[in-house]
Each structure stands twice: as structure tokens, then as C-alpha cells.
Amino acid sequence: MAWTVILENEEREQIESLDIEYISKILFDPLNNEAFKLAKYLDPYGDTIFNHLQMNHLILDFKKLQELRYDEDIERVIQLAVKCKSEPHTYLVFYGD
């Protein structure tokens, strides 16, 4: 399950993105799924959009994910989420395969 992760403005213009696709099998493990408040809604085949008001929960979810398996890519997603949180009218978009 891979996503292209992009921080966008309200015109859907790219502000910043990961330079690789983000991959996580942990999010779709039924044993872990309910541990995540928002990340469990990531659609592996479609697009999932989060706004700046949702970033606190999404950041916590990715920090939980980091505890399960540290990965530099998780840290980079968290950094994009922090930027999204600090800027109104921005969105963190996960484009599924």
C-alpha cells in the first residue's frame, strides 16, 4: 500500500511533498487498525485529504506508527503534518495507487 503524500494549498497547488511514495502495511493490519484515530481511514486505492484542523490527531497516529516501527519516511510525513497544522487553508493529501 503506497501513497504519494503532498502538502497542498486551497487551490490544490503543491507546496511540498515526499520525494518517494509512502508505504505502510502496519496501518492495514487488523490488529493495529483501531489504534489509529485518523490514519485508519487512509484509502490505499483512492485519495484521502486531511485539513489543518485534523493534524493533531494525524500527528499522534503517525507517532504511534513510529513506535511500532521506526522509519525515516514516517518522520517526513510528521514534518509535513506539522507544516499543514501551522498554515490555514492547507491540506495533507495521500494519493493512493
Side-chain angles (χ1 to χ4, degrees):
M1 326 258 167
W3 295 273
T4 302
V5 183
I6 301 176
L7 178 63
E8 297 180 349
N9 65 20
E10 62 189 337
E11 283 84 33
R12 297 196 70 160
E13 297 168 331
Q14 178 177 318
I15 297 170
E16 192 173 343
S17 68
L18 294 186
D19 54 354
I20 58 158
E21 286 191 328
Y22 176 71
I23 300 170
S24 177
K25 293 181 182 173
I26 293 174
L27 288 172
F28 295 98
D29 181 339
L31 298 174
N32 293 323
N33 195 278
E34 289 305 312
F36 302 105
K37 189 165 191 149
L38 290 179
K40 68 182 176 184
Y41 296 113
L42 284 170
D43 183 349
Y45 307 107
D47 304 337
T48 309
I49 302 171
F50 298 103
N51 67 40
H52 74 280
L53 297 174
Q54 297 171 302
M55 288 303 108
N56 284 334
H57 291 295
L58 195 62
I59 290 167
L60 288 174
D61 282 354
F62 276 90
K63 286 185 177 183
K64 281 183 196 174
L65 189 59
Q66 206 169 35
E67 291 172 8
L68 295 171
R69 190 186 116 244
Y70 180 78
D71 184 331
E72 283 183 30
D73 297 334
I74 295 170
E75 185 59 37
R76 293 165 64 204
V77 171
I78 292 171
Q79 291 170 0
L80 285 178
V82 168
K83 287 182 182 183
C84 184
K85 176 183 170 182
S86 67
E87 299 176 30
H89 309 294
T90 56
Y91 304 89
L92 193 56
V93 184
F94 291 75
Y95 291 99
D97 287 334

